[in-house]
């Protein structure tokens, strides 16, 4: 019995038309980057001997591209794997020659939407973060996925010469949250939720694995203290969270992240309000320390299960073995087949 070799290719729809067969022989490479807390990116590099991409096929900024990675006979003969990369809009075009090659870059953001670039001035009073995000997503005709348990309330929020997207990024960063924008939706989430998910795979250190490990002390802390003056109780409230013993340190640095809370704190009693501040202090500390240990792995055989936000286990990495969350993953189809590169952050034990 003759067995076909495993192969992967990119199925491409351009403005709703499947052009996979038209570009397969000319496709030099496809690079798709899935980012955890920023827009995804796509790049298609295509040979253009007849220069049709300069003429009747020339792309326009804002054109929609849908890409799915398909693997045939990937693990076993007859297997068919698929990985939907999503929808993108063309935002940059580069043409070089000779030989004639077009590079089409696209992002998972609606480049025609005003919320991304148009600067605005607006104020809100007695409003929650979810209220603001809901208003902006509705105005932009997007759906909202809001994965935050806490009610985050503000006395006042000012938007001063900021785009709606810049405002949301600022507020989310301030609250220790993450924001991801796609063509048709916005997602607000807490990375801690993803870190607690079951691992999807194991990566073993072998003599052939290309990797880099970075462990950095810059802008990391042992604890976080948040103080808030409550006008109702007429006293300063305090929330504090201390990290357990931190890996890789001879002894704790005793470095404290101090934050002054100016927004309304939910709760009726002092205990309820300080519990909220303590939970927020934990989120702030996690946000600062989440990039302390990074592992980059490149040119690894591509898979169909790992995505930005999923977790993997590293083994045989010595003291750096353990559970990691995928912060970024780039999938490439080219002369070397289907490969992927990963940017991983060590999950925190608190």
């Amino acid at each position: 019995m003759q067995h076909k070799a495993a192969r992967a290719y990119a199925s491409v729809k351009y403005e709703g038309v499947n052009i996979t067969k038209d570009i397969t022989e000319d496709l030099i490479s496809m690079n798709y980057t899935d980012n955890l807390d920023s827009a995804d990116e796509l790049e298609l590099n295509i040979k253009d001997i007849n220069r049709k991409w300069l003429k009747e096929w020339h792309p326009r900024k804002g054109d929609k591209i849908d890409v799915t990675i398909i693997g045939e006979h990937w693990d076993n003969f007859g297997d068919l794997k698929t990985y939907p990369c999503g929808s993108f809009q063309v935002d940059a075009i580069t043409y070089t020659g000779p030989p004639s090659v077009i590079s089409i870059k696209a992002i998972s953001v609606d480049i025609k939407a005003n919320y991304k670039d148009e600067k605005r001035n607006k104020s809100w009073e007695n409003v929650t973060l979810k209220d603001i995000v809901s208003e902006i997503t509705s105005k932009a005709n997007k759906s909202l996925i809001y994965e935050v348990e806490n009610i985050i309330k503000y006395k006042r929020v000012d938007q001063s010469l900021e785009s709606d997207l810049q405002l949301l990024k600022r507020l989310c960063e301030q609250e220790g949250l993450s924001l991801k924008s796609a063509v048709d939706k916005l997602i607000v989430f807490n990375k801690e939720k993803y870190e607690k998910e079951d691992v999807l795979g194991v990566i073993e250190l072998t003599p052939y694995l290309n990797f880099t490990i970075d462990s950095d002390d810059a802008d990391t802390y042992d604890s976080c203290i948040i103080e808030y003056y409550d006008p109702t109780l007429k006293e300063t409230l305090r929330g504090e969270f201390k990290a357990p013993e931190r890996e890789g340190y001879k002894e704790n640095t005793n470095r404290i992240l101090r934050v002054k809370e100016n927004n309304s704190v939910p709760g009726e009693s002092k205990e309820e309000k300080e519990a909220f501040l303590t939970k927020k202090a934990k989120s702030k500390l996690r946000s600062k320390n989440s990039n302390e240990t990074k592992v980059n792995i490149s040119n690894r055989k591509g898979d169909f299960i790992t995505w930005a936000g999923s977790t993997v286990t590293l083994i045989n990495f010595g003291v750096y073995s353990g559970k990691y969350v995928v912060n970024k993953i780039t999938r490439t189809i080219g002369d070397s087949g289907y490969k992927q590169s990963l940017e991983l952050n060590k999950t925190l034990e608190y």
Side-chain angles (χ1 to χ4, degrees):
M1 181 183 293
Q2 184 177 3
H3 293 284
K4 293 184 178 180
R7 78 176 189 112
Y9 65 92
S11 174
V12 181
K13 286 185 178 181
Y14 197 100
E15 286 287 283
V17 178
N18 193 321
I19 63 169
T20 306
K21 291 182 180 179
D22 299 294
I23 68 170
T24 294
E25 292 185 3
D26 295 329
L27 185 65
I28 300 170
S29 64
M30 185 281 302
N31 300 299
Y32 159 58
T33 300
D34 180 10
N35 295 297
L36 177 56
D37 51 7
S38 60
D40 295 339
E41 303 162 54
L42 174 72
E43 181 176 4
L44 300 174
N45 296 298
I46 306 170
K47 292 184 292 185
D48 191 24
I49 297 174
N50 297 322
R51 297 185 176 176
K52 60 186 175 183
W53 287 95
L54 269 181
K55 301 171 186 175
E56 65 271 19
W57 279 35
H58 192 269
R60 301 165 301 175
K61 297 181 183 70
D63 281 353
K64 183 182 177 184
I65 305 177
D66 296 279
V67 174
T68 299
I69 297 174
I70 298 177
E72 295 178 343
H73 317 294
W74 198 249
D75 293 324
N76 299 290
F77 179 72
D79 279 354
L80 182 68
K81 305 284 188 182
T82 61
Y83 191 95
C85 302
S87 297
F88 305 82
Q89 288 191 2
V90 176
D91 74 327
I93 304 155
T94 303
Y95 201 100
T96 59
S100 296
V101 174
I102 188 170
S103 175
I104 304 171
K105 295 182 179 179
I107 56 175
S108 64
V109 172
D110 184 355
I111 69 167
K112 302 183 293 296
N114 292 335
Y115 85 101
K116 177 174 170 281
D117 297 308
E118 185 176 339
K119 309 298 182 184
R120 300 179 186 274
N121 293 302
K122 184 169 181 178
S123 295
W124 291 263
E125 292 186 349
N126 297 318
V127 68
T128 66
L129 175 62
K130 187 175 183 180
D131 290 336
I132 297 174
V133 180
S134 297
E135 179 181 322
I136 290 174
T137 51
S138 176
K139 185 170 59 177
N141 294 317
K142 292 179 177 292
S143 61
L144 171 63
I145 300 175
Y146 191 83
E147 301 177 336
V148 182
E149 295 179 0
N150 290 344
I151 297 175
I152 302 170
K153 190 172 183 179
Y154 304 103
K155 291 179 183 176
R156 182 180 176 90
V157 172
D158 291 310
Q159 179 182 12
S160 179
L161 291 178
E162 285 179 298
S163 71
D164 289 343
L165 188 58
Q166 287 173 329
L167 170 68
L168 294 183
K169 285 182 177 179
R170 174 168 63 85
L171 293 177
C172 287
E173 183 177 343
Q174 173 183 304
E175 301 299 335
L177 302 173
S178 295
L179 171 73
K180 180 158 184 172
S181 176
V183 169
D184 58 350
K185 60 181 172 285
L186 281 174
I187 307 168
V188 179
F189 61 97
N190 191 326
K191 286 184 181 179
E192 183 178 1
K193 174 186 175 182
Y194 294 109
E195 290 186 13
K196 292 179 178 179
E197 297 290 335
D198 293 338
V199 297
L200 290 184
V202 174
I203 299 176
E204 182 178 5
L205 178 56
T206 68
Y208 309 103
L209 187 71
N210 297 315
F211 73 96
T212 303
I213 300 173
D214 287 309
S215 185
D216 197 343
D217 175 64
D219 202 22
T220 62
Y221 301 85
D222 284 346
S223 63
C224 177
I225 295 174
I226 300 181
E227 291 186 337
Y228 167 72
Y229 179 77
D230 191 290
T232 303
L233 299 175
K234 299 190 185 316
E235 63 176 304
T236 298
L237 307 183
R238 175 185 171 112
E240 180 176 4
F241 183 83
K242 292 183 179 180
E245 184 176 343
R246 295 167 65 194
E247 294 181 4
Y249 283 83
K250 181 179 180 180
E251 57 187 54
N252 285 349
T253 63
N254 296 319
R255 194 180 298 132
I256 301 171
L257 174 63
R258 297 185 183 275
V259 179
K260 183 178 180 182
E261 181 61 57
N262 295 315
N263 302 312
S264 298
V265 172
E268 298 296 328
S269 66
K270 177 179 179 179
E271 290 73 20
E272 289 176 341
K273 293 184 177 185
E274 289 194 329
F276 174 86
L277 291 173
T278 298
K279 194 169 184 179
K280 187 167 183 177
K282 177 185 175 182
S283 181
K284 286 275 191 182
L285 186 65
R286 284 181 52 85
S287 180
K288 284 291 185 182
N289 291 351
S290 62
N291 292 319
E292 183 179 329
T293 302
K294 296 180 183 178
V295 175
N296 289 298
I297 294 172
S298 60
N299 208 32
R300 181 174 180 261
K301 180 184 176 182
D303 66 32
F304 292 84
I305 59 171
T306 313
W307 46 275
S310 63
T311 57
V312 296
T313 298
L314 301 191
I315 60 175
N316 293 338
F317 279 77
V319 297
Y320 295 104
S321 296
K323 187 177 183 181
Y324 286 74
V325 64
V326 180
N327 192 52
K328 180 168 76 172
I329 177 169
T330 299
R331 303 174 187 274
T332 299
I333 292 179
D335 291 340
S336 300
Y338 174 34
K339 301 292 184 179
Q340 65 186 28
S341 299
L342 302 100
E343 181 183 289
L344 311 172
N345 289 356
K346 186 78 177 287
T347 60
L348 300 172
E349 300 298 321
Y350 53 87

